[in-house]
Amino acid sequence: MTTHVKPTAATAAALPAPQVIDQHRRRLLTTAAVAIAAASAAGLFSVRSAPAGGNDAIRPFHIDVPEQDLADLRRRLAATRWPEKETVADESQGVPQDMLRDLVRYWQIDYDWRKVEARLNALPQFITEIDGLDIHFIHVRSRHENALPMIVTHGWPGSVIEQLKIIDPLTDPTVHGGSAADAFHLVIPSMPGYGFSGKPATTGWDPQHIARAWVVLMKRLGYTKFVAQGGDWGSPVSNEMAKLGAPELLGIHVNLPGVVPPEILKAVGSGEAAPAGLSAAEKHAFDQLKVQFAKRRAYAQIMGTRPQTLSGLADSPAGLAAWLLDHGDGYAQPASAMQSAVLGRTVNGHSAGALTRDDVLDNITLYWLTNTAISSARLYWENKTNLYLPADVSIPAAVTAFPGESFVAPRNWAEKAYHKLIYFHEAEAGGHFAAWEQPEIFSVELRAAFKTLRQAM
């Protein structure tokens, strides 16, 4: 078994200076030399040298948010024009104003963006152009020989910040309860329109297009064999990668699987009773889906039909925070872990796990500073695939069902949707943002999920 990376010559001379197409993102870059020096010292990355001006160039990336942008954020937070308080004593009308006011006050006065900025800059980050769009990604290579390359895709309202806590457990498992044989090389990209990736100026960047881009990215990095993982939007992107037939892709793992049988989805959508003969697990999933479709889809429907109408999110950080915190589910799932973190206590039985208030604000602040509320929302408009229906994946696939997910997928549904199901497990804790909420459990799941595929290396 060998490490599937081509020989590299990652030097400052071989890499062109960072270039980005968006003026705001350009202000967040510093020189290539800073990133190269930091990454080379860590010895944790491998990139292929590219000729100057080549479209496949891999350029180092470094974040340096101008202080005036942070001052402007604090000014806007202080000037928030608040509506009247909700007329109910619960969360049924949306994010409670008292909670949001407390969060905004902390964000304005005590929150420190520079901490997460330094944390991100301590990692090897890069930009490369694929199909005319700049793609930002973190690339951390394990120190362990024969590590398995893996690309991990975030979702909405997330970012690469969701995955920061799984980097160490997956790249260096020997200090996190695993063995050297469990190690991964990690590639963690920002989806188009999210974070530091470019914002599509034309239509067409749907999950299928992103899937094709991710295969290009992994091959450009020199990986001849790799696996893919995703939750939320990362799940359909991983499913679509599996359908491309790329020989380099050994298998996938998803934690929001496309598994719902058409007859079940039809009954849920029409408000019919559950079909007869369902098992206890199937009936539980059916009941969860009924609540999901009845009460938790408004945000997705708005972004899927009228994303540009949400322009106020680009003007009000308080409004942006409220939108990203609320999935239309109040203190249920999938937003409950974030709200538990913001409140500092468990709400409705849904623990924040490893999530903290600062974690949540790191992610919201990233959306604000990159002005990606609308560009990220357009993914819902671009998508034309029903993400609940069976994925129809024929390559090896693994599924973890987390108890706090929107619905807990029954194993028999997963077996019909993923025809070569190599792993299925119901985790003991975690929800929709599993890698963020329960990084250790999530890491153990990925080690187990891909164990058999390592033999194909």
Side-chain angles (χ1 to χ4, degrees):
M1 187 166 70
T2 59
T3 303
H4 294 267
V5 183
K6 295 177 183 177
T8 65
T11 65
L15 291 170
Q19 297 173 0
V20 290
I21 60 174
D22 181 86
Q23 184 177 7
H24 186 80
R25 289 168 57 245
R26 183 160 52 243
R27 295 171 64 202
L28 306 183
L29 293 172
T30 58
T31 62
V34 175
I36 282 291
S40 298
L44 295 176
F45 76 98
S46 176
V47 297
R48 191 159 53 108
S49 61
N55 288 338
D56 63 346
I58 296 171
R59 296 118 60 190
F61 183 88
H62 189 85
I63 307 164
D64 186 17
V65 173
E67 186 59 37
Q68 59 262 35
D69 287 4
L70 298 176
D72 177 67
L73 169 59
R74 291 189 291 268
R75 179 188 62 78
R76 289 171 181 265
L77 290 169
T80 299
R81 183 186 184 192
W82 293 100
E84 64 280 359
K85 185 176 169 61
E86 61 274 11
T87 58
V88 294
D90 55 28
E91 79 292 342
S92 61
Q93 292 183 354
V95 177
Q97 190 174 124
D98 286 347
M99 182 180 79
L100 190 59
R101 279 182 177 270
D102 286 344
L103 181 65
V104 165
R105 186 180 304 110
Y106 177 81
W107 195 5
Q108 176 198 347
I109 298 171
D110 297 316
Y111 171 74
D112 184 2
W113 160 260
R114 297 300 185 191
K115 290 182 179 179
V116 72
E117 181 178 274
R119 189 177 179 190
L120 287 165
N121 282 335
L123 297 168
Q125 298 179 84
F126 302 92
I127 293 280
T128 193
E129 182 183 318
I130 301 177
D131 294 343
L133 194 70
D134 277 351
I135 299 297
H136 163 261
F137 62 98
I138 297 169
H139 185 195
V140 182
R141 285 182 45 80
S142 173
R143 64 186 177 90
H144 296 292
E145 188 178 359
N146 302 325
L148 176 62
M150 177 168 60
I151 185 167
V152 182
T153 309
H154 66 81
W156 185 96
S159 66
V160 296
I161 287 173
E162 279 186 69
Q163 277 78 43
L164 292 182
K165 294 179 182 179
I166 64 172
I167 292 176
D168 284 346
L170 291 177
T171 60
D172 198 4
T174 56
V175 297
H176 293 272
S179 68
D182 295 321
F184 292 89
H185 300 311
L186 291 184
V187 177
I188 306 173
S190 297
M191 288 197 297
Y194 287 70
F196 299 111
S197 280
K199 302 171 185 177
T202 58
T203 61
W205 278 94
D206 56 13
Q208 292 83 1
H209 194 167
I210 297 172
R212 295 193 298 271
W214 280 190
V215 172
V216 170
L217 174 60
M218 293 301 280
K219 292 170 68 174
R220 186 172 295 178
L221 291 172
Y223 292 121
T224 60
K225 297 293 181 183
F226 57 87
V227 295
Q229 197 286 325
D232 194 85
W233 279 111
S235 293
V237 168
S238 299
N239 291 339
E240 294 299 331
M241 289 180 71
K243 296 178 184 180
L244 292 175
E248 296 86 0
L249 183 62
L250 299 175
I252 66 170
H253 173 277
V254 293
N255 52 290
L256 183 60
V259 298
V260 183
E263 64 274 14
I264 295 292
L265 199 62
K266 179 178 180 295
V268 167
S270 61
E272 298 173 9
L278 296 183
S279 68
E282 291 173 312
K283 181 59 166 58
H284 179 55
F286 179 87
D287 291 341
Q288 289 179 307
L289 286 164
K290 280 190 69 175
V291 175
Q292 175 84 358
F293 276 74
K295 298 182 178 181
R296 302 177 185 167
R297 296 293 299 160
Y299 76 96
Q301 290 169 345
I302 292 172
M303 292 193 292
T305 57
R306 312 292 290 173
Q308 203 67 24
T309 300
L310 298 169
S311 295
L313 301 181
D315 189 59
S316 169
L320 175 66
W323 184 255
L324 298 183
L325 279 174
D326 191 17
H327 275 59
D329 60 359
Y331 293 152
Q333 279 287 359
S336 58
M338 289 196 296
Q339 297 198 8
S340 292
V342 168
L343 290 168
R345 58 180 174 82
T346 296
V347 293
N348 201 26
H350 295 297
S351 168
L355 263 178
T356 67
R357 179 171 55 179
D358 274 12
D359 290 335
V360 174
L361 281 176
D362 290 342
N363 186 64
I364 296 173
T365 308
L366 177 62
Y367 274 77
W368 176 261
L369 294 173
T370 55
N371 194 17
T372 48
I374 305 304
S375 56
S376 63
R378 290 197 195 105
L379 180 56
Y380 287 79
W381 186 92
E382 291 283 358
N383 178 60
K384 303 299 185 290
T385 302
N386 190 308
L387 308 182
Y388 291 90
L389 286 171
D392 192 24
V393 167
S394 297
I395 72 169
V399 171
T400 300
F402 285 90
E405 184 53 273
S406 303
F407 73 98
V408 179
R411 183 182 186 118
N412 62 313
W413 290 5
E415 289 172 339
K416 294 176 182 177
Y418 298 90
H419 310 309
K420 293 183 180 178
L421 191 68
I422 58 172
Y423 179 84
F424 180 92
H425 185 238
E426 292 189 15
E428 61 269 33
H432 188 73
F433 304 100
W436 217 9
E437 300 171 39
Q438 299 289 342
E440 292 292 342
I441 292 175
F442 189 83
S443 299
V444 169
E445 286 296 308
L446 292 191
R447 294 174 200 156
F450 290 123
K451 189 172 290 293
T452 60
L453 291 186
R454 290 179 184 272
Q455 300 170 359
M457 294 279 287

